[in-house]
Amino acid sequence: MTVQSAMPKCWNEETKPHKFCPGCGHGLVLKALGQAIDELGIQDKVVFGCDIGCSLLSWDFFNVDTIQTHHGRTNPVITGMKRANADIIGVAYMGDGGGYAIGSQHLVSAATRNERITSIVVNNTQYGMTGGQMAPTTMPGQKTETTPYGRDPETTGSPTQGPEMVAAIAPEGAYVARGSVANVRQLKGYIKKALENQMAGNGFSFVEALSLCPTNWRTNAKDTWKFLEEDMYKYFKVGELKVPGSQEKEGQ
Amino acid sequence: MVIGSRIVEAYVGEYASGKSEVAVNRALELAAAGRLVTLVDLDVVEPCYTLRPIKRELEQKGISVLAWETRELIGLGETGNILRAENRWALRRPGDIILDIGYGVEGAKTLALLEDADTDPDLQVYAVINIARPMTGSVADIVQYVLQLGGIDGLINNSHLGDDTDLAIVQEGSRVVSEAARELDIPVVAVTAVTELAELIGPVDSAGHPVRKLVRYMPRTLW
Amino acid sequence: MPEKPIQGEKKVFVTGNEVVAWAALAAEAEIMYGYPITPQNEIMHYWTRTIPKFGRRFLQTEDELSAGFTTVGGVLAGRRAFTATAGPGNILMQEPLSMAEAMRVPIVAVVEQRGGPSTATVIYSQQEVTLTTLGGNGEGLRVVYSTATHQDLFDYTIKAFNTAWKYRFPTFVLADGYQAKMRESVVFYDPAERGIKMVPTEAYVGRPGMPGVDRPPMHMRNTYNMEEELYEVLQEYLADYAKAAPEIEEHEAFDTADADLVVISHGVVSRACKMAVQELRQQGYKVGYFRPITLRPMPEKALREVAATAKQFLVVESAQGQLARLLKEAMYGGTAEMLTLFKPGVGVTSEEVVARVKEIKG
């Protein structure tokens, strides 16, 4: 029996402990990503672009080349890089605001053009770094700083179904899945497939990761997991939505 | 009015090859000979830029001009892709018809928007060539370009360098365009040059192609 | 290896937009990212028509934000990359340009100015001077070449790539809708045959070696935790810019030594001013001509020298004082009177300039 190292090899030990809040889901998503990078042996090929928001705190997380972009602009930066040098394995890492609000046109266009990049959106149902405002993914009735009486779908819309949208518009060759930090092993599998799909040159590879934000949710450990596994799972279904060459898996 | 066979000519070619200049001069030449002439602007990409600014002036010289007027286009904001409805029926008008077509291969396709373009027995489509244009600078480039345009009945050598034009560029143009025409097995319909150069060449150039004198109207438009 | 786009020298008759596309080809630009907006479209048209033959690339993006950010990505990957825009597109382009400034990413952007504000017009204008020289939420750490002729457009598009890559500041080539569509003759040349060596490019990210083992990982930053960190970075950038400025500054001038009045203009308007000054000189007026070619950095030293002898300046522009504002900053403390001929968004003829000078001089 071997003891699994707590840290993926491609993590930068010098920048640990990381800068995220205690209980934040980012560390788990980045662990899944780190394990996938290690298993594929692509640490020297990955260029990691991080958005603005809490995702930015990952800028020195790995021993890989990284780029801090602007809010919502990580997909185009990584797209431009990949178009200029196809040998790079480009990862665009962002929150739900960067992915589905300010950067939605870039996500839609990268998906429809089947850009050969891997895009990861961390969904924690609100804007964390700016202090807990409503995000595209905020659930009906959920209280945030800008929906103090709970999100009213009549006036503010319903939670964005990101992977469902990407799966609907991306051409064949794209990979789309939604994972959760409640199942890091499965999430790692999705992210690994998303990276492999890019390496195979098949198409756009998209993973949404359902995550945790106890700080802005104001939840203790027990309630944090309850929020994810009871409330969020009602609106956001975990699973693969689009896998190249296997139409029957769609909508799982 | 002089009764003669109906002249219907469409001028196509590379962007900035001189289509409008050649078309305007041709229309004026026919009108000066007492013929009934309609000049049609079919540049749907840049309708604001060529015939429009000199429309009134041309009408005073006795030709009918089918083109947008500035005020009609206000509100579009941009130089939009737009076909003037009346222009679509231009081939049904009496007398001679001179068509100034938009640029390039897509421009040449504009002819398809014209009623009767596929059946009009008199319609001749001429490609205007300026060898100082980078995309049509050599025999091989011209042949390839004209084949892409498709359905071209003749070439016009309009080689020039704007204000820097000299006899050498016109004559070099004649040589190159003639060779391209031979390869394409279509005639060189004319050589065009500003009056002072045209007079130096005479009524026909060394290869026997008719020389048309050009008065430059385009510098008075936006270009 | 694909053949060179331009071999030797060739005099051609072209539009301004075509000049830019051919100059970028000649400058060995490898990839263009762009979004359609009049009047720059034919840059993309001619780029996409010619590139298969020369092994270059193009991406049409979803908007100018993306065009700018993909260009940044292309440069970070080590390619000589560029984009082109105008008007409202230039507004959006300021966001990626701000990131390029923050990371010293040498992107090249061609701006064919439109009338403004807003969508306005697409032909004659110099109303994007403020935006192009000082846009973004920063200190204007960029280079702006204002072109007057098609030969300028060819020469300075090539030069823009070298300035950008040598000094690592984003670099603009400024023209307007009139120049974009205007036709005139120009000499195309292979830069190598004129002794112009293209500054080599290099990748910022994705270099050889295992990050963290063979080399430190490259972290491209534009965000800082502490004010002091940002201040330190900016001090270094500002010092670099100040050092580079005298090497980058360019201007064109004549008849200024004994001139009472110097006409100052830039870009397409300077064509009319040049004719006007020549005509006025023939009529015995003591007038001179000055044209900043770089609007950022301003050719401050040359301007101050002229300001030391001339009593009056006549600033002529197709804008309401956007050039004049830059000149005032550059010549602060000078005693020359600054007179103006502003025609925002419309053309200026030499006759108008002559008339204005005669009005001033009586």
Side-chain angles (χ1 to χ4, degrees):
Chain A
M1 186 181 154
T2 56
V3 178
Q4 199 191 357
S5 156
M7 277 193 211
K9 191 168 69 60
C10 63
W11 278 23
N12 184 351
E13 284 179 34
E14 287 168 28
T15 60
K16 305 295 169 300
H18 60 62
K19 306 173 187 86
F20 297 104
C21 299
C24 175
H26 271 291
L28 295 168
V29 182
L30 295 169
K31 181 173 186 176
L33 174 61
Q35 289 170 344
I37 290 171
D38 284 356
E39 287 175 23
L40 294 167
I42 53 173
Q43 186 184 343
D44 57 340
K45 296 277 192 301
V46 168
V47 176
F48 177 86
C50 49
D51 217 74
I52 301 304
C54 293
S55 57
L56 174 70
L57 299 176
S58 61
W59 70 272
D60 60 353
F61 205 92
F62 296 102
N63 266 327
V64 304
D65 290 352
T66 66
I67 299 162
Q68 302 176 349
T69 78
H70 283 193
H71 192 30
R73 315 303 175 213
T74 310
N75 278 319
V77 170
I78 297 299
T79 293
M81 183 176 304
K82 182 74 178 187
R83 289 271 180 163
N85 181 359
D87 295 335
I88 286 172
I89 298 167
V91 177
Y93 188 75
M94 70 209 76
D96 36 33
Y100 303 146
I102 192 170
S104 57
Q105 78 273 40
H106 306 312
L107 176 62
V108 165
S109 302
T112 52
R113 289 196 305 256
N114 231 359
E115 293 293 345
R116 272 60 172 174
I117 65 171
T118 298
S119 189
I120 299 172
V121 169
V122 178
N123 174 0
N124 62 7
T125 73
Q126 41 74 51
Y127 285 80
M129 187 172 268
T130 46
Q133 296 83 7
M134 182 184 73
T137 47
T138 297
M139 295 175 291
Q142 186 182 342
K143 287 180 181 171
T144 70
E145 291 295 332
T146 51
T147 55
Y149 308 108
R151 182 176 190 173
D152 177 7
E154 274 302 308
T155 53
T156 61
S158 297
T160 299
Q161 302 290 304
E164 286 77 1
M165 175 185 76
V166 173
I169 60 175
E172 178 56 30
Y175 175 84
V176 183
R178 180 188 281 118
S180 163
V181 295
N183 188 346
V184 174
R185 196 182 170 83
Q186 182 195 49
L187 178 62
K188 183 208 71 184
Y190 292 162
I191 291 175
K192 189 175 173 185
K193 278 195 193 175
L195 290 167
E196 285 173 322
N197 198 50
Q198 177 186 174
M199 291 158 73
N202 290 336
F204 189 58
S205 305
F206 183 77
V207 178
E208 180 185 285
L210 300 177
S211 188
L212 314 168
C213 185
T215 302
N216 281 300
W217 294 348
R218 308 283 198 276
T219 46
N220 62 23
K222 183 166 155 271
D223 288 341
T224 299
W225 288 107
K226 195 164 158 272
F227 188 94
L228 170 66
E229 292 176 304
E230 289 184 14
D231 299 344
M232 286 173 71
Y233 279 17
K234 261 187 256 164
Y235 287 96
F236 307 112
K237 303 289 174 228
V238 169
E240 290 181 315
L241 288 97
K242 200 176 178 87
V243 178
S246 63
Q247 301 288 333
E248 69 275 11
K249 282 208 173 181
E250 279 183 32
Q252 241 183 26
Chain B
M1 144 169 202
V2 177
I3 306 296
S5 63
R6 175 172 168 263
I7 292 174
V8 183
E9 294 173 349
Y11 291 88
V12 301
E14 167 67 347
Y15 189 43
S17 62
K19 295 176 297 296
S20 298
E21 197 78 273
V22 171
V24 166
N25 276 272
R26 178 63 166 163
L28 289 169
E29 178 196 339
L30 294 172
R35 300 176 68 100
L36 179 66
V37 184
T38 303
L39 176 64
V40 188
D41 185 357
L42 277 170
D43 186 342
V44 293
V45 181
E46 294 184 344
C48 300
Y49 289 148
T50 50
L51 295 187
R52 194 183 65 173
I54 53 169
K55 185 177 172 184
R56 295 265 162 91
E57 182 185 348
L58 294 174
E59 282 168 344
Q60 278 162 9
K61 293 190 178 195
I63 58 177
S64 306
V65 181
L66 300 189
W68 289 107
E69 291 206 20
T70 306
R71 69 182 65 80
E72 297 172 325
L73 283 170
I74 284 177
L76 291 173
E78 307 259 351
T79 52
N81 240 331
I82 182 158
L83 178 68
R84 198 167 167 270
E86 195 183 3
N87 295 19
R88 178 177 160 190
W89 303 96
L91 290 175
R92 303 247 174 120
R93 294 174 72 93
D96 299 339
I97 316 288
I98 301 300
L99 306 164
D100 177 13
I101 312 282
Y103 77 84
V105 176
E106 292 309 310
K109 287 186 195 160
T110 310
L111 263 179
L113 300 176
L114 218 58
E115 293 295 322
D116 300 346
D118 50 349
T119 54
D120 192 313
D122 300 322
L123 176 64
Q124 294 290 301
V125 184
Y126 299 142
V128 178
I129 308 289
N130 176 0
I131 64 157
R133 301 281 306 135
M135 305 296 278
T136 54
S138 68
V139 173
D141 287 344
I142 295 169
V143 169
Q144 193 192 12
Y145 192 85
V146 172
L147 288 175
Q148 272 178 0
L149 290 174
I152 301 299
D153 299 303
L155 301 185
I156 290 185
N157 169 30
N158 185 44
S159 296
H160 70 95
L161 286 163
D163 292 339
D164 298 338
T165 307
D166 57 14
L167 201 53
I169 180 80
V170 180
Q171 287 173 328
E172 175 65 6
S174 275
R175 189 188 67 73
V176 174
V177 172
S178 300
E179 208 178 316
R182 257 197 308 281
E183 280 192 31
L184 289 160
D185 198 23
I186 53 176
V188 176
V189 178
V191 176
T192 50
V194 289
T195 307
E196 56 268 36
L197 290 175
E199 280 169 357
L200 288 177
I201 304 169
V204 292
D205 72 358
S206 55
H209 307 132
V211 175
R212 288 190 199 166
K213 288 177 190 173
L214 280 189
V215 175
R216 292 179 69 200
Y217 288 90
M218 291 307 124
R220 271 184 268 159
T221 71
L222 273 166
W223 317 129
Chain C
M1 196 178 149
E3 63 177 296
K4 281 193 170 191
I6 297 162
Q7 281 156 5
E9 299 207 352
K10 192 176 183 193
K11 196 167 193 177
V12 293
F13 185 73
V14 282
T15 62
N17 281 333
E18 286 172 85
V19 172
V20 172
W22 284 96
L25 282 171
E28 298 165 33
E30 293 163 283
I31 186 163
M32 177 185 186
Y33 304 86
Y35 184 78
I37 187 166
T38 308
Q40 71 82 11
N41 296 317
E42 292 83 12
I43 298 177
M44 299 188 300
H45 299 179
Y46 276 84
W47 179 260
T48 50
R49 274 172 76 178
T50 48
I51 54 174
K53 204 169 158 188
F54 307 114
R56 319 291 175 90
R57 281 174 269 184
F58 176 73
L59 174 65
Q60 182 168 328
T61 58
E62 58 274 20
D63 56 24
E64 286 88 354
L65 289 166
S66 185
F69 279 107
T70 48
T71 308
V72 168
V75 171
L76 290 173
R79 307 292 181 205
R80 200 173 278 116
F82 75 108
T83 185
T85 191
N90 192 9
I91 298 174
L92 294 183
M93 200 64 85
Q94 294 306 317
E95 190 196 329
L97 253 299
S98 151
M99 177 164 141
E101 277 185 17
M103 293 176 166
R104 303 285 296 269
V105 175
I107 82 172
V108 169
V110 180
V111 173
E112 305 284 21
Q113 297 171 93
R114 297 170 51 127
S118 188
T119 314
T121 57
V122 294
I123 302 174
Y124 214 115
S125 176
Q126 298 188 314
Q127 293 173 280
E128 294 178 49
V129 166
T130 305
L131 183 64
T132 309
T133 54
L134 296 169
N137 59 332
E139 305 298 332
L141 296 172
R142 45 181 70 187
V143 177
V144 181
Y145 290 112
S146 178
T147 63
T149 64
H150 280 12
Q151 196 64 57
D152 277 351
L153 266 178
F154 191 79
D155 297 347
Y156 285 101
T157 298
I158 293 169
K159 193 171 212 169
F161 286 102
N162 274 351
T163 302
W165 280 94
K166 181 175 178 189
Y167 300 103
R168 305 291 170 105
F169 291 114
T171 302
F172 289 90
V173 178
L174 194 63
D176 77 341
Y178 187 84
Q179 291 168 273
K181 308 276 182 174
M182 181 180 80
R183 294 105 207 248
E184 70 181 1
S185 67
V186 54
V187 176
F188 282 179
Y189 52 83
D190 171 15
E193 291 191 27
R194 291 256 180 123
I196 300 167
K197 196 176 167 316
M198 295 316 296
V199 174
T201 61
E202 59 176 354
Y204 284 66
V205 291
R207 291 184 192 171
M210 181 64 73
V213 180
D214 307 319
R215 61 176 177 90
M218 172 63 88
H219 296 310
M220 297 297 302
R221 299 186 66 183
N222 62 52
T223 321
Y224 302 96
N225 300 339
M226 315 277 286
E227 285 85 348
E228 291 77 7
E229 269 181 288
L230 169 65
Y231 183 77
E232 197 180 312
V233 170
L234 278 182
Q235 289 314 302
E236 187 193 318
Y237 287 7
L238 290 163
D240 286 351
Y241 193 86
K243 185 164 167 279
E247 296 171 27
I248 297 171
E249 287 166 11
E250 284 187 46
H251 73 282
E252 181 195 4
F254 60 84
D255 289 346
T256 54
D258 65 339
D260 296 330
L261 181 149
V262 175
V263 179
I264 307 186
S265 59
H266 75 100
V268 69
V269 173
S270 65
R271 296 166 71 118
C273 292
K274 184 179 271 186
M275 284 167 67
V277 168
Q278 285 163 344
E279 190 185 322
L280 286 161
R281 270 280 162 180
Q282 280 172 3
Q283 294 173 22
Y285 287 89
K286 282 190 156 185
V287 290
Y289 165 92
F290 190 97
R291 169 198 162 209
I293 294 172
T294 50
L295 299 185
R296 181 94 190 136
M298 257 289 158
E300 208 172 299
K301 187 163 167 282
L303 265 172
R304 283 180 174 276
E305 277 167 17
V306 173
T309 55
K311 294 179 193 70
Q312 291 176 313
F313 287 125
L314 173 60
V315 184
V316 186
E317 55 180 311
S318 288
Q320 194 67 24
Q322 298 197 22
L323 170 67
R325 212 173 288 138
L326 296 174
L327 293 171
K328 280 177 201 158
E329 188 201 11
M331 294 189 291
Y332 181 74
T335 53
E337 183 187 8
M338 198 177 281
L339 301 153
T340 61
L341 174 54
F342 295 156
K343 297 192 72 186
V346 292
V348 182
T349 64
S350 60
E351 289 84 357
E352 288 170 302
V353 180
V354 168
R356 180 77 177 101
V357 171
K358 287 183 176 173
E359 184 192 341
I360 294 165
K361 289 293 167 193

